[in-house]
Amino acid sequence: MGILERRKEVKILIVEDNPTNMKLISNLIKKAAYEVLGAADANAGIAMAREERPDLILMDIQLPGMDGLTATGILKNDEKTRHIPVIALTSYAMKGDEERMTAAGCDGYLAKPIRYKELLQTVESFLREKHP
Ligand code: MN
């Protein structure tokens, strides 16, 4: 099976409240031929993760209502979803943020603006552990 066919079987959930960012990130993911799921807030993202069991989650940190770190903590405390790698999307990579993201259970993070090559490399590094 070729790499693009294999990627079609990989579901990536994007949790992002900003429609412009959502469109941009989901276009980048689609360009790489992965299947895309989207949720605009933490509650919808958690529900979708439980229902769809994506292979990876891209989680915006700043969300209306529940923030992305709290949502990640909930997913990591649920045995049905704890195995799913969560990559935090952050627009402010300040000192201490990395520790906060790790403490919340995030497996990695990407700083906005999101660039295609970096996104793809990060996503692939987490998927490789599951789909070698
Ligand atoms: Mn946001």
CSV table of all heavy atoms in Angstrom, one decimal, residues 5 7-8 21 28 32-33 45 58 60 62 92 98 103 105 109-111 115 119-120:
chain,number,residue,atom,x,y,z
A,5,GLU,N,-2.4,6.2,0.2
A,5,GLU,CA,-3.5,5.3,0.6
A,5,GLU,C,-3.5,4.9,2.1
A,5,GLU,O,-4.6,4.9,2.7
A,5,GLU,CB,-3.4,3.9,-0.2
A,5,GLU,CG,-3.9,4.1,-1.6
A,5,GLU,CD,-3.0,3.6,-2.7
A,5,GLU,OE1,-1.8,3.2,-2.3
A,5,GLU,OE2,-3.4,3.5,-3.8
A,7,ARG,N,-2.4,6.9,4.4
A,7,ARG,CA,-2.8,8.1,5.2
A,7,ARG,C,-4.3,8.3,5.2
A,7,ARG,O,-4.8,8.8,6.1
A,7,ARG,CB,-2.1,9.3,4.6
A,7,ARG,CG,-0.7,9.4,5.0
A,7,ARG,CD,-0.1,10.7,4.4
A,7,ARG,NE,1.3,10.8,4.7
A,7,ARG,CZ,2.1,11.7,4.1
A,7,ARG,NH1,1.6,12.6,3.3
A,7,ARG,NH2,3.4,11.8,4.5
A,8,LYS,N,-5.0,7.8,4.1
A,8,LYS,CA,-6.4,7.9,4.1
A,8,LYS,C,-7.1,7.1,5.2
A,8,LYS,O,-8.2,7.4,5.6
A,8,LYS,CB,-7.0,7.4,2.8
A,8,LYS,CG,-7.0,8.4,1.7
A,8,LYS,CD,-7.5,7.9,0.4
A,8,LYS,CE,-6.9,8.5,-0.8
A,8,LYS,NZ,-6.7,7.6,-2.0
A,21,ASN,N,-8.1,29.6,11.1
A,21,ASN,CA,-7.1,28.6,11.5
A,21,ASN,C,-7.6,27.2,11.2
A,21,ASN,O,-6.8,26.4,10.7
A,21,ASN,CB,-6.7,28.7,13.0
A,21,ASN,CG,-5.9,29.9,13.3
A,21,ASN,OD1,-5.2,30.4,12.4
A,21,ASN,ND2,-5.8,30.3,14.5
A,28,LEU,N,-4.1,21.8,5.2
A,28,LEU,CA,-2.8,21.2,5.3
A,28,LEU,C,-2.8,19.7,5.5
A,28,LEU,O,-2.1,18.9,4.9
A,28,LEU,CB,-1.9,21.9,6.4
A,28,LEU,CG,-1.6,23.4,6.2
A,28,LEU,CD1,-0.8,23.9,7.3
A,28,LEU,CD2,-0.9,23.6,4.9
A,32,ALA,N,-1.9,16.4,2.9
A,32,ALA,CA,-1.1,15.3,3.2
A,32,ALA,C,-1.9,14.0,3.1
A,32,ALA,O,-1.4,12.9,3.4
A,32,ALA,CB,-0.5,15.4,4.6
A,33,ALA,N,-3.2,14.1,2.7
A,33,ALA,CA,-4.0,12.9,2.4
A,33,ALA,C,-4.6,12.2,3.6
A,33,ALA,O,-5.1,11.1,3.5
A,33,ALA,CB,-3.4,12.0,1.4
A,45,GLY,N,-15.0,18.6,20.9
A,45,GLY,CA,-13.8,17.8,20.6
A,45,GLY,C,-13.7,16.5,21.4
A,45,GLY,O,-13.3,15.5,20.9
A,58,LEU,N,-5.0,17.4,17.1
A,58,LEU,CA,-4.4,18.7,17.2
A,58,LEU,C,-5.3,19.6,18.0
A,58,LEU,O,-6.4,19.8,17.6
A,58,LEU,CB,-4.2,19.2,15.7
A,58,LEU,CG,-3.3,18.4,14.8
A,58,LEU,CD1,-3.4,18.9,13.4
A,58,LEU,CD2,-1.8,18.4,15.3
A,60,ASP,N,-6.1,23.1,19.9
A,60,ASP,CA,-5.8,24.5,20.2
A,60,ASP,C,-5.9,24.7,21.7
A,60,ASP,O,-6.7,24.0,22.4
A,60,ASP,CB,-6.9,25.3,19.5
A,60,ASP,CG,-6.7,26.8,19.7
A,60,ASP,OD1,-5.5,27.3,19.9
A,60,ASP,OD2,-7.7,27.5,19.6
A,62,GLN,N,-6.1,27.8,23.4
A,62,GLN,CA,-7.1,28.9,23.7
A,62,GLN,C,-8.4,28.6,23.0
A,62,GLN,O,-8.5,28.9,21.8
A,62,GLN,CB,-6.5,30.2,23.3
A,62,GLN,CG,-5.3,30.6,24.2
A,62,GLN,CD,-4.7,31.9,23.8
A,62,GLN,OE1,-4.2,32.0,22.6
A,62,GLN,NE2,-4.8,33.0,24.6
A,92,TYR,N,1.4,31.2,21.8
A,92,TYR,CA,2.4,31.8,22.7
A,92,TYR,C,3.2,30.8,23.3
A,92,TYR,O,2.8,30.1,24.2
A,92,TYR,CB,1.6,32.6,23.7
A,92,TYR,CG,0.5,31.8,24.4
A,92,TYR,CD1,0.8,31.2,25.6
A,92,TYR,CD2,-0.7,31.6,23.9
A,92,TYR,CE1,-0.2,30.4,26.3
A,92,TYR,CE2,-1.7,30.9,24.5
A,92,TYR,CZ,-1.4,30.2,25.7
A,92,TYR,OH,-2.3,29.5,26.3
A,98,GLU,N,5.7,24.9,28.0
A,98,GLU,CA,6.0,23.5,27.7
A,98,GLU,C,5.7,22.6,28.9
A,98,GLU,O,5.1,21.5,28.7
A,98,GLU,CB,7.5,23.3,27.3
A,98,GLU,CG,7.6,22.2,26.3
A,98,GLU,CD,9.0,22.1,25.7
A,98,GLU,OE1,9.7,23.1,25.6
A,98,GLU,OE2,9.4,20.9,25.4
A,103,ALA,N,2.4,18.7,31.6
A,103,ALA,CA,1.6,18.3,32.8
A,103,ALA,C,0.2,18.0,32.5
A,103,ALA,O,-0.4,17.1,33.1
A,103,ALA,CB,1.7,19.5,33.8
A,105,GLY,N,-0.8,16.6,29.9
A,105,GLY,CA,-0.8,15.3,29.1
A,105,GLY,C,-0.6,15.4,27.6
A,105,GLY,O,-0.7,14.4,26.9
A,109,TYR,N,3.8,19.7,20.9
A,109,TYR,CA,3.2,21.0,20.6
A,109,TYR,C,3.7,21.6,19.4
A,109,TYR,O,4.9,21.3,19.0
A,109,TYR,CB,3.2,22.0,21.8
A,109,TYR,CG,4.5,22.7,22.0
A,109,TYR,CD1,4.8,23.9,21.5
A,109,TYR,CD2,5.5,22.1,22.8
A,109,TYR,CE1,6.0,24.6,21.7
A,109,TYR,CE2,6.7,22.7,23.0
A,109,TYR,CZ,7.0,24.0,22.4
A,109,TYR,OH,8.2,24.6,22.6
A,110,LEU,N,2.9,22.4,18.8
A,110,LEU,CA,3.3,23.2,17.6
A,110,LEU,C,2.9,24.7,17.8
A,110,LEU,O,1.9,25.0,18.3
A,110,LEU,CB,2.5,22.7,16.3
A,110,LEU,CG,3.0,21.4,15.7
A,110,LEU,CD1,1.9,20.9,14.7
A,110,LEU,CD2,4.3,21.6,15.0
A,111,ALA,N,3.9,25.6,17.5
A,111,ALA,CA,3.6,27.0,17.7
A,111,ALA,C,3.0,27.5,16.4
A,111,ALA,O,3.4,27.2,15.3
A,111,ALA,CB,4.9,27.7,18.0
A,115,ARG,N,3.1,25.8,10.1
A,115,ARG,CA,3.8,25.6,8.8
A,115,ARG,C,3.7,24.1,8.3
A,115,ARG,O,3.8,23.2,9.2
A,115,ARG,CB,5.2,26.0,8.8
A,115,ARG,CG,5.3,27.5,9.0
A,115,ARG,CD,6.8,28.0,9.1
A,115,ARG,NE,6.8,29.4,9.3
A,115,ARG,CZ,6.8,30.0,10.5
A,115,ARG,NH1,6.6,29.3,11.6
A,115,ARG,NH2,6.8,31.3,10.6
A,119,LEU,N,4.3,20.8,10.6
A,119,LEU,CA,3.1,20.1,11.0
A,119,LEU,C,3.2,18.6,10.5
A,119,LEU,O,2.9,17.7,11.3
A,119,LEU,CB,1.9,20.7,10.3
A,119,LEU,CG,0.5,20.0,10.4
A,119,LEU,CD1,0.0,20.1,11.9
A,119,LEU,CD2,-0.5,20.7,9.5
A,120,LEU,N,3.6,18.4,9.3
A,120,LEU,CA,3.6,17.1,8.7
A,120,LEU,C,4.7,16.2,9.5
A,120,LEU,O,4.4,15.1,9.8
A,120,LEU,CB,4.0,17.2,7.2
A,120,LEU,CG,3.6,15.9,6.4
A,120,LEU,CD1,2.1,15.6,6.5
A,120,LEU,CD2,4.0,16.2,4.9
